[in-house]
């Protein structure tokens, strides 16, 4: 229970550890009522540390210390100090062996940090600071050691005993117990330690590396999930091959294991040789997982696998460098996913996440740079800024250097720093050294928070045939940072002629039209630039920030005509989509607060009609283009948003489109019916997506044909994408009887599958029809709901507050009070989840005052709770500005 303010940790106060650990010898005795952990460390003074007489300081959290011995000799009570957070031993020799025995209670660990139990299985989560909940240890990533781990447990309840590296010994013990010993030859920080013990079945496969080594691949799951591992295994093999081909990185142990765990705070974890996954991020079958889930699983499996090099072989010096491994690894997994499917669609998805959620974070009270300078609780810094903006910062280096030099840079980085704990600066330095480019200004991307804004203006001189483009860069103030310097921004652009042709970009007048490029990456380094393009007798239409070449906002006064033109002509698929989004945003915004009956832009309807009818277009892109901008994005774009008004305006546009395009929607639905077996190809995924979009639009206007199609699809579907598409459409319609019937049938059929029940909760909690507060409260009383399971909490409480915006922002404040109440309740059992769940409330300053003041009151209610965790304390106090 917290009585004082948690400490702030600062990057500027980083010092090297006074002691290093070479080897860790662990012995776990696992029992039903607890676990005893014997740990023997070989410790030596760090020659790089100036503190020659420093006491040995080990971190610990919620541990019962049973024994501590130095060089085999037990220490008496006065020979060490235990503070509750640390174990301190003064006067230690230069080199020694330290033995620590602790008693912990995994069965009572509801925080899901350290060693805990999930459906009868022992498992660990040590990143970032969970290892200290297992034993006393210098729990910081720059202390890297070789681990040997012996696990002892009851053989009947825990036949499978896993840890990092290779199994080197196993045998039986007395009383029906047994043991397995694991040895990991690679030195690693404690956050990469992993252990699993339980009654699991294994699915095996193998992979032959480029150099001809055979790797044993295994996925461990509960017996009922044995049939849901194929997709993850296939994804893993694709990722392994891809990393060899694209980064020259081979796997380095003889065995690679994945374990699926139902109770998990995050998506997955890259423990060396033993990745642990949230079940929802690894298990899939045609009957139970949507196309989206299949794609997500492929990318998460790849992400965790890629960490083996970007994170494990080369790790972080301290947690301020978190984006070193996360930003780089997200960049790697996103390029991988682009290569496995449609690069344009993947780019649209990444840009949507950035613009909707990361920009909002960067404009909110928790805004921080990609390399933060200070934190209280590190688990609050596993953010979209660290991951997604961090990935963009790596991507822009790739753009600036080009693929060959980037690869040279990554080769140098891995080679130079293999086995080390390093900084984001070391990464940039390797890129500089390999390419010969100066990235000193570029480093500001790591240091300055806030989303740069580019204001673009242009003029055309028809006599001279010159087109001038002026780009001004500003970066908004963020907490603790003002007066920012201009950043180095790669800005990709093209110019289009009147017939949609790509115009040659002749910049200095010397190059001729033949040799001039049709697309160019301008490098912005100053607050203001003007670029001139020659040989342009007619005024071109600019296509700006192609491929979303930098995570910035672009302001340019496009006319609706220009947007319609770009939607159908831009050679860059990303910008075609973006033009459609901008047009839709403009149309919706102009309806916010407008009187009923205001005309809805006919050009939007016609543009969508063209999209729906043209089967020669890339259908995956069409499926994306048909998605209207989300409420969350519209809110992010608005100043002082009035949520109800935005919701209403968007709904009006949707209804108008659906009414005007009814025939086309029905035709699109039938044209995209997929005959034959379920396939996971980009084509069939796009068809299902289009078909489900058509269905959902038809039900928005309560169309009877649409209803019949939905009911039929729901009953006949042979896969979860179609079943869920139909269910979602019915749930979001006014056909109350069909909705309840489908929900009941769905639950009856899938109640034994937790991952499907989570989807069933989400589809209701996100619906403005079926997810009003009384119904959400009823979901919390449902027998399948479980306050100890993060996935269930996220699928009801998280989805309601994050995706059902009209209901959450009910003007009476009931949504806010609901969230505050649940966050307080959760803080006692799982502070990490509580601190994440509170996010929507932290944005109170952005909203129209009627909303904002109620949001603030709910935050204050949380602030005044007694015994606030450090996690929640930091988020709530920072967002209240206290
Ligand atoms: C893909 O980063 C992208 C991001 C930390 C836990 C997984 O590998 C991880 C872990 C959090 C948030 C997002 C992700 C992860 C974590 C994640 C997973 C897959 N090191 Br917290
Ligand atoms: Zn990661």
């Amino acid at each position: 229970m917290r009585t004082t303010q948690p400490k702030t940790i600062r990057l500027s106060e980083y010092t090297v550890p006074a002691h290093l650990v070479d080897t860790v010898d662990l012995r776990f005795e696992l029992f039903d009522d607890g676990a005893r952990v014997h740990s023997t460390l070989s410790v030596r003074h760090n020659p790089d540390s100036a503190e020659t007489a420093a006491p040995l300081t080990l971190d610990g959290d919620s541990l019962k210390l049973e024994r501590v011995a130095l060089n085999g000799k037990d220490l008496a009570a006065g020979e060490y100090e235990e503070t509750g957070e640390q174990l301190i031993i003064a006067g230690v020799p230069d080199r020694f062996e330290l033995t620590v025995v602790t008693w912990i209670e995994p069965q009572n660990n509801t925080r899901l940090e350290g060693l805990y139990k999930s459906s009868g299985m022992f498992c660990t989560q040590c990143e970032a600071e969970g290892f200290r909940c297992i034993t006393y240890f210098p729990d910081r990533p720059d202390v890297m050691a070789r681990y040997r781990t012996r696990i002892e447990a009851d053989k009947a309840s825990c036949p499978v005993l896993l840890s990092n590296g290779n199994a080197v010994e196993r045998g039986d013990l007395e009383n029906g117990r047994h043991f397995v010993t694991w040895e990991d030859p690679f030195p690693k920080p404690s956050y990469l330690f992993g252990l699993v013990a339980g009654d699991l079945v294994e699915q095996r496969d193998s992979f032959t590396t480029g150099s001809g080594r055979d790797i044993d691949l295994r996925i461990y799951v509960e017996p009922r999930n044995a049939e849901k591992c194929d997709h993850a295994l296939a994804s893993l093999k694709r990722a392994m091959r891809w990393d060899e081909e694209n980064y020259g990185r081979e796997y380095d142990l003889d065995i690679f294991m994945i374990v699926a765990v139902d109770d998990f705070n995050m998506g997955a974890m890259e423990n060396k040789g033993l990745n642990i996954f949230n079940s929802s991020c690894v298990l899939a079958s045609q009957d139970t997982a949507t196309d989206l889930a299949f794609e997500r699983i492929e990318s998460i499996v790849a992400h965790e696998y890629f960490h083996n090099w970007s994170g494990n072989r080369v790790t972080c010096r301290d947690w301020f460098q978190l984006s070193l491994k996360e930003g780089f690894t997200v960049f790697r997994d996103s390029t991988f996913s682009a290569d496995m499917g449609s690069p344009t669609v993947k780019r649209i998805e990444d840009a949507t996440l950035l613009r909707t959620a990361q920009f909002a974070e960067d404009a909110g009270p928790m805004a921080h740079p990609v390399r933060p300078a200070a934190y209280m609780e590190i688990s609050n810094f596993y953010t979209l800024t660290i991951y997604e903006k961090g990935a963009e910062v790596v991507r822009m280096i790739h753009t600036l250097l080009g693929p060959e030099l980037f690869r040279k840079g990554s080769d140098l980085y891995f080679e130079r720093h293999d086995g080390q704990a390093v900084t984001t600066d070391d990464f940039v330095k390797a890129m500089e050294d390999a390419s010969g480019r100066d990235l000193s200004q570029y480093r500001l991307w790591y240091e300055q928070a806030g989303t740069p804004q580019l204001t673009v203006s242009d003029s055309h001189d028809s006599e001279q045939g010159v087109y001038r483009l002026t780009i001004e860069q500003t970066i908004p103030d963020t907490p603790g940072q003002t007066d920012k310097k201009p950043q180095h921004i790669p800005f990709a652009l093209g110019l289009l002629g009147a017939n949609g042709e790509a115009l040659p970009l002749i910049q200095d007048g010397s190059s001729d039209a033949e040799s001039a490029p049709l697309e160019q990456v301008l490098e912005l380094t100053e607050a203001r630039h003007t670029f001139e393009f020659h040989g342009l007798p007619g005024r071109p239409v600019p296509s700006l920030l192609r491929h979303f070449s930098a995570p910035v906002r672009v302001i340019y006064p496009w006319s609706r005509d220009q947007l319609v033109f770009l939607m159908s002509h831009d050679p860059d698929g990303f910008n075609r989509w973006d033009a459609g989004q901008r047009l839709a945003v403009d149309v919706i915004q102009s309806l916010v607060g407008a009187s009923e009956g205001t005309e809805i832009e006919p050009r939007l309807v016609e543009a969508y009609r063209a999209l729906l009818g043209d089967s020669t277009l890339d259908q995956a892109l069409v499926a994306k283009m048909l998605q209207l901008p989300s409420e969350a994005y519209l809110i992010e774009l608005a100043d002082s948003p009035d949520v109800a008004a935005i919701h209403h305006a968007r709904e009006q546009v949707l209804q108008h489109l659906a009414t005007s395009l009814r025939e086309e929607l029905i035709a699109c639905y039938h044209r995209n019916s997929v005959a034959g077996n379920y396939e996971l190809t980009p084509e069939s995924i796009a068809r299902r997506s289009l078909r489900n979009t058509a269905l959902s639009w038809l039900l928005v206007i309560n169309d009877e044909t649409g209803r019949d199609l939905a009911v039929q699809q729901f009953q006949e579907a042979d896969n979860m994408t179609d079943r869920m598409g139909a269910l979602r459409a019915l749930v979001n319609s006014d056909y109350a009887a069909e909705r309840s019937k489908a929900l009941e049938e769905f639950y009856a059929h899938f109640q034994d599958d937790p991952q499907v029940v989570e989807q069933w909760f989400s589809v209701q909690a996100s619906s403005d029809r079926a997810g009003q507060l009384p119904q959400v409260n009823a979901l919390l009383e449902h027998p399948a709901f479980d306050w100890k399971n993060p996935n269930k909490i996220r699928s009801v409480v998280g989805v309601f507050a994050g995706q059902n915006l009209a209901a959450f922002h009910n003007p009476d404040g009931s949504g806010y009070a609901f969230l505050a109440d649940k966050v307080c309740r959760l803080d006692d059992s799982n502070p990490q989840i509580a601190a994440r769940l509170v996010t929507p409330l932290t944005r109170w300053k952005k909203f129209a005052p009627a909303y904002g003041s109620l949001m603030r009151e709910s935050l204050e209610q949380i602030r005044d709770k007694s015994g606030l965790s450090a996690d929640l304390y930091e988020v709530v106090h920072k967002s209240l500005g206290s």
Side-chain angles (χ1 to χ4, degrees), residues 127 268 270 303-304 307 325-326 329-330 387:
E127 187 178 3
E270 70 264 24
H303 178 95
E304 304 310 332
H307 267 317
K325 72 176 179 84
E326 297 304 347
T329 304
V330 172
Y387 279 78

Side-chain angles (χ1 to χ4, degrees), residues 92-269:
V92 290
D94 233 32
R95 262 174 198 278
F96 55 96
E97 202 180 77
L98 185 80
T99 300
V100 173
V101 180
T102 51
W103 176 256
I104 54 180
E105 295 186 349
Q107 74 282 6
N108 298 326
N109 179 351
T110 58
R111 287 162 56 191
L112 315 186
E113 300 170 61
L115 181 66
Y116 62 93
K117 269 186 128 169
S118 170
S119 351
M121 165 196 339
F122 290 90
C123 63
T124 55
Q125 173 52 42
C126 292
E127 187 178 3
E129 297 180 336
F131 194 71
R132 64 186 65 187
C133 305
I134 294 174
T135 182
Y136 281 105
F137 194 79
D139 194 11
R140 42 186 290 172
D142 55 356
V143 172
M144 298 171 78
R146 274 177 292 120
Y147 285 66
R148 184 184 166 92
T149 305
R150 175 177 156 121
I151 312 166
E152 303 177 5
D154 177 59
K155 197 170 182 173
S157 58
C158 291
V160 173
L161 306 174
L162 310 173
S163 191
N164 320 87
N166 306 305
V168 292
E169 204 189 342
R170 64 178 71 230
D172 287 333
L173 300 166
E174 284 174 10
N175 303 321
R177 294 172 65 80
H178 71 144
F179 76 95
V180 179
T181 304
W182 293 81
E183 224 170 56
D184 182 357
F186 293 96
K188 64 169 176 281
S190 50
Y191 83 85
L192 289 173
F193 173 79
L195 177 152
V196 169
D199 187 3
L200 303 167
V201 294
E202 70 180 20
Q203 293 292 307
R204 285 186 178 225
D205 207 330
S206 69
F207 178 83
T208 307
T209 68
S211 70
R213 290 187 311 113
D214 284 322
I215 316 290
D216 204 352
L217 310 178
R218 297 184 197 175
I219 300 198
Y220 290 88
V221 297
E222 289 173 50
R224 64 188 165 86
N225 291 322
E227 306 307 314
K228 292 189 180 180
C229 301
D230 294 355
H231 179 64
L233 273 171
S235 302
L236 175 61
K237 288 188 285 181
R238 287 193 287 271
M240 294 178 87
R241 184 66 68 215
W242 188 91
D243 212 19
E244 292 184 354
E245 287 170 356
N246 292 275
Y247 283 85
R249 300 291 124 201
E250 260 192 41
Y251 187 61
D252 53 8
L253 287 163
D254 298 331
I255 172 168
F256 185 83
M257 298 174 280
I258 286 177
V259 184
V261 173
D262 282 347
D263 304 295
F264 208 63
N265 279 350
M266 23 238 234
M269 181 60 210

Side-chain angles (χ1 to χ4, degrees), residues 664-704:
E664 285 83 352
L665 290 167
I666 292 173
C668 170
Y669 182 89
H670 290 299
R671 192 174 66 237
N672 286 297
S673 295
V674 186
N677 285 339
Y678 175 78
E679 276 185 288
L680 256 181
T681 58
E683 297 72 40
S684 32
I685 293 172
R687 298 179 77 138
R688 283 189 288 271
S689 165
L690 274 173
R691 198 161 164 257
N692 284 324
T693 301
L695 204 55
S696 72
W697 284 25
L698 288 168
L699 281 161
V700 160
I701 51 170
N702 302 315
D703 185 88
E704 284 185 16

